[in-house]
Amino acid sequence: MATPSDLAQPAIAGGEPLFDQLLVFGQPALGEEEVEAVSEVIRSRWIGQGPKCAEFEERFAELVGARHAVSVSSCTAGMHLALAALGIGPGDEVITTSLTFVATLNAVLHTGAEVVLADVDPETYALDPRLAAEKVTERTKAIMPVHFAGHPVDLDAFRALGEEHGLAIVEDAAHALPALYGGEPIGRRGIACFSFYANKNVTTAEGGMVTCEDDELAERLEVLRLHGLSRDAWKRFRSKKVVYSDAIELGFKYNLTDLQAALGLVQLRRLDEFMDVRRRICAVYDEELAGVPGLRLPVRPWTDELRHAHHLYIVEVDPEEFGCDRDELLAGLRAENIGAGIHYRAAHLHPYYRRTLDLPDGALPVAERLSAQVLSLPLSAAMTEEDAARVALAVRRLHAHHRR
């Protein structure tokens, strides 16, 4: 890597890149323990859904304090499954946010229900419960708030809204492990859908988990995730008796595998280690980027009652004060071999949702402004504090370059 210097030209202006190789955004932290766990499953010859999935569900439920944890193939599958298990479908409406990955909206539309969007809080970037309340109609059946970047939403407000109108609250908790709200882990109460995608705080490469309190809902989730069958393969083949598996509902192919669960079990054991690294990376960014004009740093609470999951480190770029817009800053970082990203371009601005939702420009002003200004700096447990310091240096160099 190049020798850091605040006076050096950024790579986009002809200087040497700060990183010789790409600093991958959200690179997973994987070691020999993960390799051995997956190898053990391969040697067992039982690689599909089986005992490791059951153990992973048990350990995850213990971690978040949930009554039930149902493993699934992705968080997207989990959200779709949760809505379907609640009986949400054509003619119903689900309120959610546009400032999210399109999977949140896709999960609703795949049930046949309609997406209704409300704007976000400018501080937390999460769905604003007061604005969501204004969207409730007699057709509304659920609200799906997103714990954006790992910042817990105002669950008290959403739960009160749900109780007032008889609505289900299905949390998109893809970013939220291991966040706390009201001193309780996200996923402890209600219905929450987690992601174990490659860049998440815990990974199974692909995968997810749905947590809930209701016994009947959990049973229906288990049935629906595997074609609507009454018993999965592991339950059938471990029995010494002939056990039939009856198709009792029209279900989906949404199950996790033991290969993935074995990886997840190791990752869960390492979660405290991962979070310590993530907090230290964020602390470097906080210190090195404090006071940079036109750069708003994220709000990340860390108390016994409200705890951020440190999944994404998102800065907000004011183009007039910073000296360039978000996209120019992103291009400059990419020239330094820094894998920064955008989370997110508001979903209703994508071509498909422009056609589907037919929302006019300006309908969601906060989400639209943030869509043009937010940028995610690399953050993972595979990074070092030196990596973070170099990323921050790149940001400062680009600020100085564009202000000249």
Side-chain angles (χ1 to χ4, degrees):
M1 289 187 287
T3 302
S5 168
D6 280 315
L7 299 178
Q9 283 278 69
I12 203 166
E16 288 293 319
L18 280 167
F19 290 86
D20 297 332
Q21 296 180 332
L22 178 66
L23 178 64
V24 177
F25 181 88
Q27 183 174 346
L30 302 170
E32 287 304 313
E33 192 176 355
E34 284 89 351
V35 171
E36 178 55 33
V38 173
S39 298
E40 180 184 336
V41 171
I42 293 173
R43 287 191 290 267
S44 80
R45 299 298 192 270
W46 191 278
I47 61 175
Q49 181 182 327
K52 289 296 182 183
C53 285
E55 184 182 356
F56 187 42
E57 291 172 339
E58 183 179 350
R59 295 291 173 267
F60 193 87
E62 290 174 356
L63 176 68
V64 302
R67 182 173 176 84
H68 299 284
V70 179
S71 60
V72 288
S73 55
S74 68
C75 184
T76 310
M79 291 187 289
H80 180 211
L81 203 64
L83 294 172
L86 290 167
I88 292 170
D92 298 333
E93 295 176 345
V94 177
I95 299 170
T96 190
T97 169
S98 182
L99 197 67
T100 182
F101 188 47
V102 294
T104 311
L105 283 71
N106 290 348
V108 177
L109 293 183
H110 280 307
T111 68
E114 295 179 26
V115 167
V116 176
L117 298 177
D119 214 344
V120 297
D121 183 298
E123 293 295 312
T124 65
Y125 306 159
L127 183 65
D128 189 322
R130 295 169 300 172
L131 298 177
E134 296 174 2
K135 301 289 186 176
V136 174
T137 72
E138 60 182 15
R139 295 172 57 200
T140 306
K141 293 297 186 292
I143 301 176
M144 189 179 288
V146 178
H147 300 289
F148 191 90
H151 194 302
V153 301
D154 187 349
L155 281 174
D156 285 344
F158 283 112
R159 288 166 180 164
L161 187 59
E163 290 176 7
E164 180 183 355
H165 296 281
L167 309 175
I169 306 300
V170 179
E171 302 166 45
D172 180 339
H175 298 174
L177 185 71
L180 295 180
Y181 179 85
E184 293 182 340
I186 297 298
R188 165 67 182 81
R189 292 195 284 147
I191 306 167
C193 305
F194 295 85
S195 174
F196 306 128
Y197 181 62
N199 68 353
K200 296 302 188 288
N201 293 12
V202 160
T203 184
T204 59
E206 291 278 4
M209 193 77 74
V210 183
T211 59
C212 66
E213 301 169 273
D214 186 270
D215 296 345
E216 291 184 8
L217 178 61
E219 184 175 352
R220 188 146 194 252
L221 290 168
E222 291 176 354
V223 168
L224 286 176
R225 74 174 166 185
L226 199 58
H227 297 299
L229 297 175
S230 57
R231 289 178 175 84
D232 62 45
W234 174 247
K235 290 177 182 177
R236 294 198 307 274
F237 289 111
R238 69 177 175 175
S239 173
K240 296 184 182 300
K241 299 179 181 179
V242 176
V243 179
Y244 291 101
S245 186
D246 297 318
I248 57 178
E249 290 198 63
L250 180 62
F252 310 93
K253 187 67 170 75
Y254 280 170
N255 62 291
L256 199 69
T257 69
D258 272 19
L259 279 172
Q260 296 164 298
L263 180 58
L265 283 164
V266 177
Q267 291 271 297
L268 284 184
R269 290 196 293 270
R270 299 181 64 192
L271 182 56
D272 286 345
E273 166 199 339
F274 294 161
M275 292 309 298
D276 181 60
V277 175
R278 286 177 173 273
R279 287 195 298 272
R280 286 190 278 112
I281 296 300
C282 290
V284 171
Y285 284 152
D286 287 345
E287 181 177 355
E288 297 293 328
L289 296 175
V292 175
L295 203 67
R296 179 180 180 270
L297 304 188
V299 176
R300 297 192 329 280
W302 190 263
T303 70
D304 290 339
E305 293 296 311
L306 188 65
R307 183 171 300 177
H308 199 285
H310 291 83
H311 175 57
L312 298 174
Y313 191 97
I314 296 180
V315 296
E316 189 178 329
V317 183
D318 181 323
E320 291 189 7
E321 288 190 41
F322 188 81
C324 70
D325 64 23
R326 186 273 314 280
D327 290 351
E328 291 175 296
L329 174 56
L330 179 58
L333 292 174
R334 294 283 176 85
E336 303 286 354
N337 287 323
I338 294 170
I342 297 172
H343 297 87
Y344 294 96
R345 182 183 175 199
H348 73 285
L349 301 180
H350 287 256
Y352 174 77
Y353 288 102
R354 280 190 181 274
R355 297 193 305 269
T356 304
L357 303 179
D358 194 27
L359 285 175
D361 290 342
L364 303 170
V366 180
E368 290 172 25
R369 175 179 62 79
L370 293 173
S371 179
Q373 294 186 349
V374 292
L375 182 144
S376 301
L377 300 180
L379 174 59
S380 82
M383 286 176 60
T384 67
E385 291 172 73
E386 181 186 2
D387 290 334
R390 286 175 181 265
V391 172
L393 174 58
V395 173
R396 295 199 309 271
R397 279 185 184 175
L398 288 162
H399 165 70
H401 170 71
H402 286 287
R403 294 290 293 184
R404 289 192 183 111

